[in-house]
Amino acid sequence: MKLFLNLSLLVLIIFGHFPILKAQTTIGNVVSRVDSTRHGFVDTMQQFALRSARESKLEFEADKAAMAQLNIFEQVKKTMQKAKIYLKTGVDTSGIKTELAQIRKDFLVAGDGVLTSKGTSQTFRNLTSTEKVLSELLKKASARKIKLDQYRQGLSSFRYQLDSLLSLPELFKFPKDSAVLVEYIQQIRMVSYETHPVDSTLKLTALSVQHLLDQVNLQVLNLQSSVEEVEMYQKNMAFGMFSPEVNNLWETHRDSRPINEILSQAVAKGRLNLLFYLQNNLAKVISLLILMVISSFYLRSLKSIYQREKLLTDNYEGQLVLRYPIASAVLIVISLFQFIFFSPPFLLNVILWTIASLSLSFLFRGYVNSYWMKVWLLMVGLFLIASIDNLILQASHTERWFMLFISLAGALSGLMIAIYGRRQELREQLILIAIKLMVVIEFCAVLANLFGRYNLSKALLISGFLNVIIAILFLWTIRLINEGLHLAFNIYTGRDAKLFYLNFDKVGKNVPPIFYVLLVFGWFILFGRNFAGFDYISEPVQEFLSNDRKLGDYTFSINSLLLFVVIMGISVAISKIVSFFASDRNFRADKDHQKEKQGLGSWLLLIRIFILSMGLFLAIAATGIPIDRITIVLGALGVGIGFGLQTLVNNLVSGLILAFEKPVNVGDVVEVDGQSGTMKSIGFRSSVISTWEGADVVMPNGDLLNAHLTNWSIGGRRKRMTIAISLSYDTDLELARQVLIEVLNQAEHVMKSPAPSLLYDGFGDSAIGLKVFFWTKEFVESGKIKSELIISITEAFRANKIVMPFPQQDIYIHNNDKPEKKN
């Protein structure tokens, strides 16, 4: 601005002298001298302009520096505000210190018997429990390490930002004006006063976090080295399972620790194992409980239907699943869904197996004979005793004698049962195979214990009893599932053999072989978990399933593909089950049930679409399929639609329209293209109409939507019927009207509103035509009602001598001689 004023002044001076010079030239045209003072004036103006330009440039630089300084001060204030918030909302260092102390305490518990107080030999159960606890502690410590490291980096970042801002050169360009300089110095002092405590807090907090991080790092290193040491012990034990670890049982042996310390150590480590596992798998536990509730509700509903229809037998033969629905549901759910718990602690398995055994015992009470009930209770008792012993994690001479007693008891009792058992009274003969296997396993456990193979003996001890318990639980679970499917099949009229891909006619009679295959597979997994080498056998299989593979740019694993198939299979199965059980309530086809079916059936397609859509979304999310691959598939699908899938897409879209607009619902009585019947189901591509002849007509949704559809249910399922009657010309028409009205009023199924009506519609060749119009409440019963009315009208006409003539003609024969008339 000052430069602009100086330039303006210079222009005025120059142009102010211009008229004077012009006048001198005009008056003194003769004078041609050059004024020497003119050059001095120009030089002065040039110097003035240069000086003004320099001053303006300096002022511009000062203004620019002032703006930069204001901007820096503003950034410093914002950074300080963010730093204060970060300090307030940062990690809870005191909580981490408490948790770190708890980790150290749990580390001592986990290492007891393996890293410290090792005793005479390492045991498989102790190593397994220790490895699980240490891995969980390592995961917790590593998580805190990452959190502290990120927090420390954030603190350093804020300090670096503040130092960078306060070190910028623009802050050290001081203004020349003394008043402005004093004000600027005041601003610097204020900023320094505000930033100093924040910077000090950041520094102290960073030092404190770093100190805590050093402790966490040290703990992580200790845990990592401990886990590696335990894994080394496990590997040596897996390859030396048949080697003796202790002296022979009859030799003198002195325990390294008292038995009470060994028991205390087992309780503490078992509690940690169970607590950590439940914390990490809380969602699975809740899912298990929800499945139990749903299964109990369904079995109770099924039982109420059988009670209402008086179909339950006194001894529950073939209906054991309905005897105690809650116990049956608990047994089935635990037996099937215990495999969702990957590598659970042994204590959790014992809890689940104990609950399942108690449920089966409850079902057995009064159902199986007393001899086999005692055998079952004996097996459960021996299993529980062996399980308690298996929870002991360190070897002792006292425990070895106890193990010997339990093994001999199991082997001898099993041998007596196999030889003298009442086989003809046993409902599941396959149980004898499991008992005989138990005898062999327990005798092997006795020999291993006698000759110092402690780990092998203990694994065989629990495996022998577990083999019997698991076999019995699984066999009766399969039987209960068969009974449940068979009983449900009997009360549902819509027998869709493809629903579960099983032959329902054989369900409840012969168990499908796939069930036995799954039984053997599950038994092998549960049986093998007790041996040290099982992980090394299963590890190659797990690696094969979990290793990443590439197909072009897409990376996948067999586990992810199996997960995708399983999730989609479950969603499809749920969709089918919902459709089946909702569209065909049970064999009772009364009006109340028809209304229920209509109310829910209209939403079935939307419910199935929602279930399948959620299943597809979860499957894609679980397998990590990239979204861009899905767009490629959709593009290819669009090309396919353009070339040859128009009909399929038309039917699919028509299905959606039927679902949303609801011109027809499941259970409606319809008539389309000459086919009459009840709407059985509305699917994605096609719908099914059950005709009165008993056949199911599968009609594409596009044809159903485009056809002239008659829906008798929308109008209340009413139908107007017509009966055509011929009356003789000699009939008293008023009498005939009264007789017909009386017959219609007495008819039970003829609606009184709208009232029946009669209409004489003309004179025929041999009779007067009459039509009777009346309404029926149910379209399905209209033909039957019409038939009954025809019978009643005929009887009433005969009683009142009203004639309904048959068609007749008079023939006249003309004869020239003698005309003669013939009728």
Side-chain angles (χ1 to χ4, degrees):
M1 181 63 69
K2 188 173 182 181
L3 178 61
F4 175 75
L5 294 175
N6 292 335
L7 291 176
S8 301
L9 179 61
L10 179 61
V11 171
L12 288 174
I13 293 174
I14 294 174
F15 282 92
H17 284 78
F18 180 75
I20 300 174
L21 295 175
K22 185 177 180 180
Q24 290 177 351
T25 304
T26 305
I27 298 173
N29 198 15
V30 196
V31 183
S32 60
R33 66 181 182 87
V34 178
D35 190 1
S36 59
T37 59
R38 179 180 178 184
H39 296 286
F41 176 78
V42 173
D43 293 338
T44 302
M45 290 299 101
Q46 288 177 351
Q47 293 175 5
F48 175 77
L50 292 174
R51 187 170 59 254
S52 299
R54 285 194 301 269
E55 293 177 356
S56 298
K57 182 178 181 181
L58 292 175
E59 290 185 5
F60 174 74
E61 294 293 338
D63 293 341
K64 182 179 178 182
M67 293 180 63
Q69 290 164 0
L70 290 175
N71 187 30
I72 292 172
F73 290 153
E74 187 67 26
Q75 292 183 22
V76 169
K77 291 180 180 179
K78 290 181 179 179
T79 304
M80 285 192 302
Q81 191 68 25
K82 292 180 181 178
K84 291 178 181 178
I85 296 174
Y86 188 75
L87 288 169
K88 290 181 179 179
T89 60
V91 296
D92 182 11
T93 54
S94 60
I96 293 179
K97 290 179 181 178
T98 304
E99 188 173 2
L100 183 60
Q102 186 63 42
I103 289 176
R104 291 170 180 161
K105 182 179 178 181
D106 294 340
F107 175 72
L108 295 176
V109 175
D112 187 12
V114 177
L115 305 176
T116 59
S117 304
K118 297 182 180 181
T120 56
S121 64
Q122 297 289 358
T123 65
F124 169 66
R125 286 279 300 116
N126 198 13
L127 290 176
T128 303
S129 299
T130 301
E131 190 270 334
K132 290 180 178 179
V133 174
L134 290 179
S135 298
E136 183 62 28
L137 294 177
L138 178 59
K139 185 171 67 174
K140 287 186 176 182
S142 299
R144 297 299 169 264
K145 175 183 180 301
I146 294 173
K147 192 171 184 179
L148 284 173
D149 191 55
Q150 291 176 348
Y151 186 59
R152 182 185 59 80
Q153 291 179 2
L155 295 173
S156 300
S157 175
F158 278 114
R159 288 200 66 200
Y160 175 78
Q161 292 178 33
L162 288 176
D163 292 342
S164 299
L165 289 172
L166 296 176
S167 301
L168 290 175
E170 288 80 355
L171 291 178
F172 303 98
K173 292 182 179 180
F174 299 104
K176 295 181 179 181
D177 193 322
S178 59
V180 178
L181 178 61
V182 171
E183 183 179 354
Y184 178 66
I185 292 174
Q186 290 294 336
Q187 289 182 348
I188 291 179
R189 289 180 59 189
M190 184 63 65
V191 171
S192 177
Y193 177 78
E194 292 177 354
T195 56
H196 179 71
V198 175
D199 184 69
S200 300
T201 305
L202 289 173
K203 183 178 179 180
L204 294 175
T205 306
L207 291 175
S208 175
V209 170
Q210 183 62 50
H211 178 68
L212 183 58
L213 183 60
D214 293 338
Q215 299 179 36
V216 173
N217 287 332
L218 181 61
Q219 189 64 50
V220 168
L221 290 176
N222 290 335
L223 288 170
Q224 287 177 342
S225 61
S226 300
V227 169
E228 292 174 358
E229 184 177 354
V230 172
E231 289 177 349
M232 182 188 67
Y233 288 146
Q234 287 179 318
K235 186 176 182 180
N236 294 334
M237 182 175 293
F239 292 102
M241 178 178 292
F242 298 96
S243 302
E245 303 99 352
V246 293
N247 295 333
N248 296 330
L249 186 60
W250 60 84
E251 296 176 352
T252 58
H253 179 82
R254 184 176 180 181
D255 294 335
S256 60
R257 301 182 70 178
I259 189 66
N260 59 337
E261 291 185 10
I262 293 177
L263 294 177
S264 300
Q265 179 250 12
V267 171
K269 196 173 293 188
R271 182 186 62 83
L272 277 181
N273 248 316
L274 183 62
L275 179 63
F276 288 159
Y277 192 84
L278 292 179
Q279 288 176 350
N280 294 330
N281 297 271
L282 184 60
K284 292 182 180 180
V285 175
I286 294 175
S287 300
L288 190 68
L289 296 176
I290 292 175
L291 286 173
M292 289 181 184
V293 173
I294 294 175
S295 301
S296 301
F297 176 76
Y298 172 71
L299 291 177
R300 291 187 64 180
S301 301
L302 195 61
K303 183 178 181 180
S304 64
I305 294 174
Y306 269 77
Q307 287 176 336
R308 184 172 65 242
E309 301 302 327
K310 299 180 180 180
L311 297 176
L312 286 176
T313 59
D314 295 334
N315 58 357
Y316 285 93
E317 185 63 35
Q319 301 174 346
L320 183 62
V321 69
L322 301 182
R323 187 183 184 190
Y324 301 110
I326 296 178
S328 300
V330 170
L331 173 60
I332 293 172
V333 172
I334 289 179
S335 299
L336 293 181
F337 292 93
Q338 61 178 311
F339 297 100
I340 66 175
F341 297 105
F342 297 107
S343 189
F346 183 75
L347 182 56
L348 178 61
N349 281 332
V350 171
I351 294 173
L352 293 177
W353 292 330
T354 302
I355 295 174
S357 299
L358 292 176
S359 300
L360 186 57
S361 302
F362 201 58
L363 292 171
F364 278 169
R365 190 183 61 179
Y367 183 76
V368 300
N369 61 65
S370 59
Y371 173 81
W372 287 109
M373 185 66 181
K374 293 177 182 178
V375 170
W376 163 248
L377 294 177
L378 175 64
M379 293 294 104
V380 172
L382 291 174
F383 166 71
L384 292 178
I385 295 174
S387 298
I388 293 173
D389 177 76
N390 198 45
L391 293 173
I392 299 176
L393 303 178
Q394 276 191 292
S396 65
H397 204 64
T398 304
E399 185 202 3
R400 290 181 64 191
W401 281 105
F402 180 75
M403 290 168 53
L404 180 65
F405 173 76
I406 297 299
S407 299
L408 285 174
L412 294 177
S413 60
L415 187 62
M416 296 294 293
I417 294 170
I419 296 174
Y420 302 106
R422 303 175 186 177
R423 300 187 179 185
Q424 66 279 5
E425 299 176 358
L426 185 61
R427 294 177 180 269
E428 292 287 352
Q429 297 294 326
L430 292 176
I431 295 176
L432 286 176
I433 299 177
I435 294 177
K436 293 176 181 178
L437 182 59
M438 180 198 71
V439 173
V440 176
I441 294 174
E442 295 304 327
F443 272 124
C444 293
V446 171
L447 295 176
N449 193 7
L450 288 174
F451 294 101
R453 275 73 173 175
Y454 172 80
N455 287 296
L456 179 61
S457 174
K458 197 164 189 176
L460 292 173
L461 169 66
I462 187 62
S463 300
F465 296 118
L466 179 62
N467 146 70
V468 176
I469 296 299
I470 292 299
I472 295 175
L473 289 177
F474 279 7
L475 284 171
W476 279 94
T477 298
I478 290 175
R479 180 166 183 165
L480 293 178
I481 292 174
N482 271 298
E483 288 183 0
L485 294 175
H486 179 66
L487 295 173
F489 171 71
N490 285 338
I491 66 169
Y492 288 95
T493 58
R495 303 192 175 193
D496 188 358
K498 296 182 180 179
L499 177 63
F500 299 103
Y501 303 96
L502 296 174
N503 188 348
F504 275 95
D505 293 330
K506 296 183 179 180
V507 170
K509 299 177 182 178
N510 298 319
V511 177
I514 186 63
F515 280 9
Y516 287 112
V517 173
L518 296 176
L519 183 150
V520 173
F521 182 72
W523 175 89
F524 176 78
I525 293 176
L526 298 178
F527 183 81
R529 283 178 180 174
N530 299 290
F531 296 91
F534 181 77
D535 291 338
Y536 294 94
I537 296 174
S538 60
E539 186 175 354
V541 178
Q542 294 177 356
E543 289 181 356
F544 172 77
L545 296 176
S546 60
N547 285 340
D548 291 335
R549 293 168 172 80
K550 280 194 174 184
L551 184 62
D553 296 333
Y554 176 58
T555 303
F556 68 96
S557 65
I558 297 179
N559 271 338
S560 62
L561 296 180
L562 292 176
L563 184 61
F564 182 89
V565 173
V566 168
I567 293 177
M568 287 305 302
I570 292 175
S571 62
V572 170
I574 293 175
S575 172
K576 284 179 172 288
I577 292 172
V578 169
S579 176
F580 179 72
F581 290 116
S583 62
D584 196 0
R585 302 293 293 180
N586 56 54
F587 61 85
R588 293 185 60 187
D590 54 25
K591 298 177 184 177
D592 294 336
H593 283 225
Q594 290 291 340
K595 292 179 180 178
E596 292 178 6
K597 288 164 58 178
Q598 292 177 15
L600 180 60
S602 60
W603 294 97
L604 276 181
L605 181 56
L606 293 179
I607 294 173
R608 292 185 63 191
I609 291 174
F610 174 77
I611 293 173
L612 292 178
S613 300
M614 288 299 298
L616 180 61
F617 174 77
L618 292 176
I620 292 174
T623 53
I625 298 177
I627 301 299
D628 55 349
R629 300 297 187 274
I630 300 177
T631 57
I632 293 174
V633 173
L634 293 177
L637 183 61
V639 175
I641 293 173
F643 278 100
L645 299 179
Q646 297 96 332
T647 304
L648 176 62
V649 174
N650 177 35
N651 291 326
L652 293 175
V653 175
S654 298
L656 292 176
I657 294 174
L658 290 173
F660 282 99
E661 290 190 357
K662 296 181 178 61
V664 60
N665 296 324
V666 174
D668 286 355
V669 178
V670 297
E671 184 176 348
V672 54
D673 285 344
Q675 299 287 345
S676 299
T678 304
M679 184 61 64
K680 181 179 181 181
S681 66
I682 302 175
F684 295 105
R685 187 195 64 84
S686 60
S687 301
V688 179
I689 300 174
S690 295
T691 63
W692 309 130
E693 291 80 10
D696 286 349
V697 177
V698 180
M699 181 170 293
N701 289 332
D703 296 343
L704 181 65
L705 195 63
N706 294 327
H708 296 286
L709 174 66
T710 302
N711 191 334
W712 292 99
S713 298
I714 293 180
R717 303 174 66 88
R718 303 181 307 166
K719 184 178 181 180
R720 195 185 76 165
M721 301 294 294
T722 304
I723 298 178
I725 302 175
S726 298
L727 298 177
S728 172
Y729 278 98
D730 298 333
T731 302
D732 185 347
L733 299 183
E734 187 59 31
L735 176 63
R737 180 193 294 274
Q738 293 177 1
V739 170
L740 288 173
I741 291 176
E742 183 179 356
V743 170
L744 293 170
N745 289 334
Q746 291 177 355
E748 179 181 358
H749 298 289
V750 175
M751 296 180 63
K752 303 304 184 285
S753 178
S757 60
L758 285 75
L759 178 65
Y760 292 99
D761 64 345
F763 297 95
D765 293 336
S766 57
I768 297 175
L770 172 64
K771 288 186 178 180
V772 179
F773 301 97
F774 61 94
W775 289 84
T776 60
K777 296 180 180 179
E778 287 290 335
F779 170 83
V780 179
E781 300 176 355
S782 58
K784 179 182 177 181
I785 296 172
K786 182 177 180 179
S787 175
E788 293 176 352
L789 276 178
I790 290 175
I791 295 174
S792 299
I793 291 172
T794 302
E795 293 176 353
F797 278 6
R798 286 176 180 173
N800 289 276
K801 297 181 180 180
I802 298 175
V803 179
M804 291 184 290
F806 53 85
Q808 53 184 306
Q809 294 180 341
D810 291 338
I811 300 175
Y812 294 92
I813 299 176
H814 296 277
N815 193 331
N816 294 331
D817 297 334
K818 187 178 180 181
E820 186 175 326
K821 179 179 180 182
K822 294 183 179 182
N823 291 328

